[in-house]
Amino acid sequence: MIEYTYSPEIAEADRPIILESRIYKDWLEKTQEKFVVTKVHFTSVDFLRKGRQPLFIKLDATATLPDGRPVHGIVLVRGNAVGVLVVLRCEGKKYLLLVKQPRFAISEQASLEIPAGILDWTGDYRKVALSELEEEAQIKADDSELIDLMDFWYKGKSDGFAASCGLLDERIRLYAIERDVTPEQLKAMDGKDQEYTEEIEWIKTVVLPYEEAAHEFIDGKNFIALFLYERWLDFRRENASLQTRD
């Protein structure tokens, strides 16, 4: 039985909402498979701007490994996310379609990133990936176009990579998509503005040459997506070579 306590600023009415939220229940279920949790103190909670669905839950847990050794228990629970590397091919050259948006936490007015978003209540990674592609990159894609880089790399052993494993519970599932475009289409994809005032998101698309884009990255998921995509290309080339020999 876990003992629960709450900071005074967390309203009584919000406490059962926190305990029943998808992100907290998912985190607790996975955590209890490998740790012994005896107490959870909720420090703060931030809700989505619409409704009372928790977006971020900060907690301090009293927990141990199965053999009794204590572990640090401060966690920022936010659930998992998805990201999509968009590779464009035009007249024999490759490009990446990225988005720029303000990131206050890292003091960047225009952080360059692959399209990405938080997993919603459905828990459907592929659906959210397609939705983020359309919302952020203005690309409508079919499910069949998604290359699941996590499934390729982890072979089903993990939902995604840990973004900041000392604090966040978040794992990001990465996909890639490839598109052949004309020079006119390539130009039209660059510099598109999207404004989502309710979510406080100000997004601009950016098209960069494939080989140059990584030198502009500071976001870790960009590097990992690009690394995994390159490994996937190597794997596909090796398979094609073996089939040719046969």
Side-chain angles (χ1 to χ4, degrees):
M1 181 67 72
I2 298 175
E3 176 189 350
Y4 288 108
T5 57
Y6 303 83
S7 293
E9 60 265 28
I10 298 178
E12 288 276 355
D14 288 333
R15 296 176 184 184
I17 296 174
I18 296 170
L19 294 178
E20 291 301 316
S21 65
R22 180 190 61 80
I23 59 173
Y24 177 69
K25 291 174 73 173
D26 286 353
W27 171 80
L28 183 63
E29 180 181 356
K30 292 176 182 177
T31 300
Q32 287 187 307
E33 292 174 0
K34 298 179 180 179
F35 297 89
V36 178
V37 182
T38 56
K39 183 178 180 180
V40 173
H41 176 71
F42 293 103
T43 306
S44 64
V45 58
D46 293 287
F47 292 92
L48 290 171
R49 293 174 67 83
K50 285 186 177 181
R52 298 301 287 171
Q53 182 180 335
L55 181 61
F56 301 108
I57 302 170
K58 187 180 179 184
L59 60 85
D60 189 354
T62 300
T64 67
L65 290 163
D67 62 10
R69 288 177 293 163
V71 294
H72 292 288
I74 296 176
V75 183
L76 181 60
V77 179
R78 61 164 287 166
N80 290 352
V82 300
V84 186
L85 183 76
V86 182
V87 181
L88 305 173
R89 295 183 294 238
C90 181
E91 296 188 332
K93 296 181 180 180
K94 290 197 298 184
Y95 301 82
L96 292 183
L97 176 60
L98 303 155
V99 295
K100 280 186 177 181
Q101 56 187 316
R103 291 299 192 190
F104 182 71
I106 59 171
S107 307
E108 289 288 338
Q109 287 188 344
S111 176
L112 191 65
E113 305 171 16
I114 62 175
I118 296 173
L119 190 66
D120 65 16
W121 62 271
T122 67
D124 189 330
Y125 289 94
R126 299 180 74 90
K127 180 181 176 182
V128 174
L130 293 172
S131 176
E132 292 298 332
L133 267 178
E134 185 170 357
E135 179 181 312
E136 295 193 354
Q138 302 292 295
I139 289 179
K140 290 187 177 182
D142 294 325
D143 181 86
S144 60
E145 295 181 80
L146 288 177
I147 301 163
D148 192 333
L149 298 174
M150 294 292 99
D151 190 54
F152 158 70
W153 190 253
Y154 289 121
K155 304 296 188 291
K157 292 185 291 185
S158 177
D159 287 332
F161 79 94
S164 181
C165 56
L167 177 64
L168 294 175
D169 70 315
E170 179 187 60
R171 291 174 188 253
I172 303 177
R173 191 172 193 92
L174 296 171
Y175 297 91
I177 185 173
E178 300 173 314
R179 281 283 176 93
D180 291 307
V181 297
T182 65
E184 293 75 22
Q185 290 172 324
L186 187 72
K187 184 177 179 181
M189 289 178 168
D190 189 31
K192 286 186 176 181
D193 287 304
Q194 286 86 245
E195 296 185 359
Y196 302 99
T197 54
E198 289 188 356
E199 292 85 5
I200 316 182
E201 291 185 342
W202 323 103
I203 297 170
K204 179 187 286 289
T205 59
V206 180
V207 174
L208 290 176
Y210 186 88
E211 299 297 338
E212 298 175 18
H215 295 284
E216 304 293 329
F217 292 168
I218 57 172
D219 188 327
K221 66 179 178 288
N222 299 353
F223 286 108
I224 295 173
L226 192 59
F227 167 80
L228 293 178
Y229 176 70
E230 287 287 337
R231 301 292 77 73
W232 178 81
L233 288 177
D234 290 342
F235 175 77
R236 191 172 63 170
R237 282 192 288 263
E238 289 171 9
N239 271 6
S241 177
L242 289 173
Q243 289 173 6
T244 302
R245 292 176 196 169
D246 293 341

